[in-house]
């Protein structure tokens, strides 16, 4: 009964991140007993890798390419260390699992450095005092990829079929040369630690997530150079509740022809296909490319607290640069809100009015309220 209760408790805690309440990881690795956890250590050394603690034969190794197939009902914890310039980690698991990055550097020349094919929670912990690096190559193996009879997705340097939780007191550096830096087919939550994502001009987005993004704490820095790429691209709700997030995009508009029709995609610090809500923390966005945008949202942008600084300096040769663009509304009710743009509108809520006051809804009584076409400052 103890084991069943443990997993039931964790499942409820993970679900809570989709609510407005601040998500807290209550079941730390240290709280799990040896009886509740399967612990395996994997170490890379150049063209080879080694494993310890694998009593069940979950791990297979081909040079520096490691595959884990877990069938345990317990929490699987993988501790990763060492270095390789041509290796990878591919994971299959029935249950939620975690990796502790303990001074590891993995570069995969043909795909993701870490590819988690489990649809359950995936906890990425950076051990205190360590610096860890994940990188991909400039080309991926042709899709679809089949490994041991299984067809797998590979959407970025760090990819997971399930939700990803980032935590720990160490540092993780992610280099993306071909696709996204971090990608999840579920949602992503940042709790603490330092994560730096750098995407080359040949890559795509910094973070690509299907079911929502939440920033609760830690430091997240994203630098994206690709045309039409986004620092964070969320197909669902985007929530900033704490921490320090710094996003820089330098790519121009991406122009593609589809059925004889030209389609233009602008770079953006954050592109959210649902609601964007900020209640705390600090968010700094700089966009320098043609038509670049700070925040581009399909639904409301609701700023309730924290500190927001957006600056777009790109030209409008192909696209129109904007600090914040929402298809339905921009609502400010607290915190420090500062948006500037070199050309076009600082804030665009879909209203065609030439009066800047019609472009932003301001609630309450701010201490400072300056609404101009190219500059908006609101402070409570």
């Amino acid at each position: 009964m103890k084991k069943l209760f443990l997993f039931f408790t964790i499942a409820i805690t993970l679900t809570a991140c989709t609510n407005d309440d601040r998500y807290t990881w209550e079941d730390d690795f240290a709280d799990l007993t040896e009886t509740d956890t399967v612990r395996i250590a994997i170490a890379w050394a150049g063209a080879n890798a080694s494993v310890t603690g694998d009593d069940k034969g979950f791990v297979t190794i081909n040079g520096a390419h490691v595959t884990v197939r877990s069938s345990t009902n317990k929490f699987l914890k993988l501790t990763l260390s060492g270095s390789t310039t041509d290796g990878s980690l591919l994971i299959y698991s029935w249950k939620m699992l975690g990796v502790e990055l303990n001074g590891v550097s993995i570069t995969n020349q043909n795909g993701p450095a870490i590819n988690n094919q489990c649809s359950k929670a995936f906890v990425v912990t950076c051990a205190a005092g360590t610096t860890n690096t994940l990188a991909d190559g400039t080309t991926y193996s042709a899709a679809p990829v089949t490994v041991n009879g299984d067809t797998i997705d590979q959407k970025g340097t760090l990819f997971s079929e399930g939700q990803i939780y980032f935590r720990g007191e160490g540092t993780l550096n992610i280099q993306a040369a071909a696709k996204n830096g971090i990608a999840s087919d579920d949602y992503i939550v940042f709790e603490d630690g330092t994560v730096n994502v750098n995407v080359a001009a040949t890559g795509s987005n910094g973070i690509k997530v299907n079911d929502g993004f939440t920033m609760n704490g830690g430091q997240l820095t994203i630098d994206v150079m690709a045309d039409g790429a986004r620092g964070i691209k969320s197909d669902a709700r985007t929530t900033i509740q704490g921490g320090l997030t710094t996003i820089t995009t330098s790519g121009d508009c991406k122009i593609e022809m589809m059925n004889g029709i030209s389609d233009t995609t602008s770079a953006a610090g954050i592109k959210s296909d649902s609601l964007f809500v900020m209640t705390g923390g600090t968010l700094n966005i700089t966009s320098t490319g043609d038509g670049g945008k700070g925040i581009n949202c399909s639904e409301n942008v609701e700023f309730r607290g924290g500190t927001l600084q957006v600056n777009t300096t790109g030209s409008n040769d192909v696209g129109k640069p904007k600090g914040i663009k929402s298809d339905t509304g921009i609502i400010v009710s607290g915190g420090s809100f500062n948006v500037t743009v070199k050309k076009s509108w600082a804030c665009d809520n879909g209203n065609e009015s030439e009066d800047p006051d019609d472009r932003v809804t301001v609630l309450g009584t701010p201490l400072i309220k300056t609404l101009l076409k190219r500059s908006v400052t609101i402070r409570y």
Side-chain angles (χ1 to χ4, degrees):
M1 291 300 296
K2 177 181 178 182
K3 297 177 184 178
L4 292 175
F5 178 76
L6 172 68
F7 286 110
F8 181 72
T9 302
I10 293 176
I12 291 177
T13 304
L14 297 179
T15 304
C17 79
T18 60
N19 300 329
D20 288 336
D21 298 332
R22 179 181 173 87
Y23 165 79
T24 302
W25 181 268
E26 296 179 350
D27 294 286
D28 190 280
F29 284 139
D31 296 332
L32 299 172
T33 67
E34 293 300 325
T35 303
D36 300 321
T37 307
V38 173
R39 303 175 187 270
I40 297 175
I42 302 170
W44 281 265
N48 299 290
S50 59
V51 59
T52 56
D54 181 25
D55 298 334
K56 302 294 185 180
F58 292 159
V59 181
T60 58
I61 299 175
N62 181 10
H65 296 277
V66 179
T67 300
V68 178
R69 293 180 178 272
S70 171
S71 58
T72 182
N73 285 322
K74 300 179 181 180
F75 187 90
L76 175 65
K77 178 184 176 182
L78 305 174
T79 299
L80 313 181
S81 62
S83 176
T84 179
T85 58
D86 188 13
S88 64
L89 174 63
L90 175 62
I91 306 169
Y92 299 90
S93 178
W94 291 358
K95 298 292 183 179
M96 57 183 290
L97 72 147
V99 292
E100 181 183 47
L101 308 182
N102 190 26
V104 69
S105 178
I106 303 173
T107 298
N108 184 4
Q109 302 295 336
N110 300 300
I114 296 180
N115 188 338
N116 174 42
Q117 288 295 300
C118 174
S119 61
K120 305 296 183 180
F122 183 48
V123 185
V124 178
T125 303
C126 291
T130 67
T131 297
N132 306 275
T133 301
L134 302 176
D136 64 359
T138 56
T139 58
Y140 279 31
S141 301
V145 176
T146 301
V147 178
N148 297 325
D150 297 317
T151 300
I152 63 173
D153 289 328
Q154 44 177 12
K155 300 179 180 180
T157 303
L158 172 57
F159 172 66
S160 177
E161 290 282 354
Q163 59 265 34
I164 308 175
Y165 299 86
F166 288 94
R167 62 189 305 276
E169 299 178 4
T171 298
L172 171 59
N173 298 319
I174 294 179
Q175 307 287 338
K179 294 189 178 183
N180 305 294
I182 301 170
S184 169
D185 280 349
D186 209 302
Y187 56 80
I188 292 176
V189 178
F190 275 83
E191 279 298 313
D192 52 24
T194 300
V195 177
N196 304 308
V197 181
N198 289 276
V199 181
T202 52
S204 187
N205 308 293
I207 294 176
K208 171 65 175 68
V209 58
N210 287 7
D211 294 337
F213 175 88
T214 300
M215 182 72 183
N216 283 334
Q219 295 187 57
L220 172 61
T221 302
I222 302 174
D223 190 346
V224 178
M225 299 174 62
D227 289 345
R230 286 71 184 261
I232 298 172
K233 186 178 187 303
S234 174
D235 294 344
R237 176 170 170 163
T238 302
T239 305
I240 309 294
Q241 300 183 137
L244 170 60
T245 305
T246 302
I247 303 173
T248 302
T249 70
S250 54
D252 293 327
C253 292
K254 183 178 181 180
I255 303 174
E256 297 177 303
M257 294 299 295
M258 301 181 64
N259 299 321
I261 300 175
S262 177
D263 181 62
T264 301
T265 301
S266 298
I270 295 176
K271 175 66 172 73
S272 179
D273 289 340
S274 182
L275 185 67
F276 173 91
V277 177
M278 183 167 177
T279 61
T282 299
L283 174 60
N284 299 317
I285 300 177
T286 301
S287 181
T288 62
D290 179 83
K293 295 170 178 61
I295 299 174
N296 187 355
C297 190
S298 299
E299 296 184 13
N300 279 358
V301 171
E302 299 183 7
F303 182 79
R304 305 171 188 169
T307 300
L308 173 68
Q309 178 71 48
V310 176
N311 186 24
T312 60
T313 62
S315 63
N316 59 351
D317 296 335
V318 177
K320 292 183 178 180
K322 293 174 183 173
I324 297 180
K325 178 183 181 299
S326 167
D327 291 346
T328 58
I330 301 171
I331 303 168
V332 181
S333 59
S336 178
F337 180 93
N338 189 31
V339 182
T340 61
V341 63
K342 185 177 180 180
K343 297 184 178 181
S344 189
W345 284 88
C347 293
D348 180 2
N349 60 0
N351 193 322
E352 296 298 328
S353 171
E354 291 297 316
D355 185 349
D357 284 358
D358 295 332
R359 301 280 181 141
V360 181
T361 299
V362 181
L363 304 179
T365 306
L367 299 175
I368 299 175
K369 178 184 173 183
T370 303
L371 276 68
L372 303 173
K373 180 175 182 178
R374 294 189 172 90
S375 178
V376 174
T377 300
I378 304 168
R379 295 176 187 169
Y380 289 79

